[in-house]
Amino acid sequence: MVIKKVSLETVIGVTSKIPENQMPEIAFAGKSNVGKSSLINALMNRKSLARTSAQPGKTQTINFYNINDDLYFVDLPGYGYAKVSLEAKEKWGKMVERYLKKSRQLRAVFLLIDIRHDPSVNDRQMYEWICANGYHPIIIATKLDKINRSQIQKHIKMVKQGLSVDKNTVVIPFSAVSKQGRDEIYALIDKIISNEEHNMQKDAEEQ
């Protein structure tokens, strides 16, 4: 994947209508402070297009980034921040659930988990929730630079066991500092988009 141009195209809130995009969408979900903005910026080759809120957990929008006029990166609001009210959490949950159920172009959901720690209750609930909505999350284990290289496999196993993932689940360790893991994520996105184009061509031929 070569990033030629990116732009923040659409921002939707709790009462906004889900956009009827014509290009495939790749969504990113994760707990507040897990490094989601850093990952998205690294993938877009931008320093600060995806911004972190000054108050974690306060961002209540879904942001659609147009990538090369080929696909969208969809940034879902961070979850699990303790100081957010129950009402705000419920609104966030309904908005994200509406997106997961109504988007016709969503092709994959990347779930970010901090590689340093056991997945939290919120992480496990999010994983199960994404699965319940018909998607099989791809796990991005962030903050890779915070642990020793010799500990990587041990921590990946910890993440897998903590989420009770099945054996086919993809887990990609990622560092926003060194960009390790970015090429693997690019390759996976390319594969998803390539499969999309193949299926569209097949449908056209069958018609």
Side-chain angles (χ1 to χ4, degrees), residues 4-89:
K4 296 178 181 177
K5 65 175 183 175
V6 300
S7 63
L8 176 56
E9 185 172 295
T10 309
V11 177
I12 68 169
V14 174
T15 59
S16 304
K17 182 181 177 182
I18 302 297
E20 296 181 3
N21 293 322
Q22 301 304 310
M23 299 184 300
E25 299 167 1
I26 307 291
F28 297 84
K31 189 165 55 179
S32 298
N33 297 329
V34 76
K36 185 157 51 65
S37 294
S38 297
L39 168 67
I40 293 172
N41 283 324
L43 292 176
M44 295 191 300
N45 277 331
R46 299 294 187 273
K47 288 186 177 180
S48 58
L49 186 55
R51 295 180 181 274
T52 348
S53 171
Q55 295 177 291
K58 291 294 184 183
T59 304
Q60 294 295 314
T61 59
I62 299 177
N63 302 330
F64 292 76
Y65 295 92
N66 184 327
I67 311 297
N68 294 340
D69 290 329
D70 288 330
L71 73 152
Y72 290 98
F73 287 169
V74 182
D75 184 6
L76 303 177
Y79 59 83
Y81 192 62
K83 293 183 180 179
V84 176
S85 69
L86 182 61
E87 182 184 3
K89 290 177 182 177

Side-chain angles (χ1 to χ4, degrees), residues 18-25 64 98-107 135 196:
I18 302 297
E20 296 181 3
N21 293 322
Q22 301 304 310
M23 299 184 300
E25 299 167 1
F64 292 76
R98 187 160 50 91
Y99 169 69
L100 292 176
K101 286 184 175 179
K102 292 194 173 183
S103 171
R104 296 181 178 180
Q105 297 296 337
L106 181 56
R107 297 295 178 261
Y135 297 93
E196 167 82 2

Side-chain angles (χ1 to χ4, degrees), residues 31 113-120 123-124 158-159 162:
K31 189 165 55 179
I113 303 291
D114 189 329
I115 197 171
R116 299 173 297 175
H117 310 298
D118 279 310
S120 66
D123 289 328
R124 292 194 293 273
M158 181 176 73
V159 169

